[in-house]
Amino acid sequence: MATHSRSGNRSAATIIIVIADIMALILGLWIVMYLLDANRANDLVNFIQNAARWLAGWSYDLFTFHDAWARVVAGYGLAAVVYLFVGHGLANRLRHF
């Protein structure tokens, strides 16, 4: 019985890590696309921008740096770091539970 529970915890931990990593990847992609001045009329760029804005809704424009690139890097970067930290931390707790 305990083995089944541990296996379920490991599976849940893996799912949480994958989701956190994908969220951080989307945010990181948007930062790179923004810095490289990607064509916002492109469907992929538009999708990544919208997904990143939704994921970073709580940290979007949190910082008031003068330069727009610094606001993007700080705001979206903070969200990516938080998702990675919380996701991996929660997964580690599940694995050891």
Side-chain angles (χ1 to χ4, degrees), residues 1-93:
M1 182 88 132
T3 304
H4 180 67
S5 177
R6 284 196 174 246
S7 175
N9 286 351
R10 285 192 187 119
S11 296
T14 300
I15 291 168
I16 290 170
I17 286 174
V18 168
I19 290 170
D21 289 352
I22 289 170
M23 292 164 67
L25 176 67
I26 290 168
L27 291 161
L29 277 173
W30 172 241
I31 291 170
V32 170
M33 287 178 173
Y34 182 87
L35 293 175
L36 295 176
D37 199 25
N39 178 8
R40 298 205 184 139
N42 179 282
D43 290 339
L44 176 63
V45 175
N46 193 21
F47 172 78
I48 296 294
Q49 179 185 18
N50 289 334
R53 183 165 287 176
W54 184 81
L55 289 170
W58 58 273
S59 66
Y60 179 74
D61 279 344
L62 182 65
F63 301 99
T64 58
F65 295 114
H66 179 69
D67 294 324
W69 70 267
R71 287 192 304 272
V72 167
V73 171
Y76 290 97
L78 173 65
V81 169
V82 167
Y83 288 133
L84 286 173
F85 181 75
V86 170
H88 285 256
L90 181 60
N92 283 333
R93 299 255 340 208

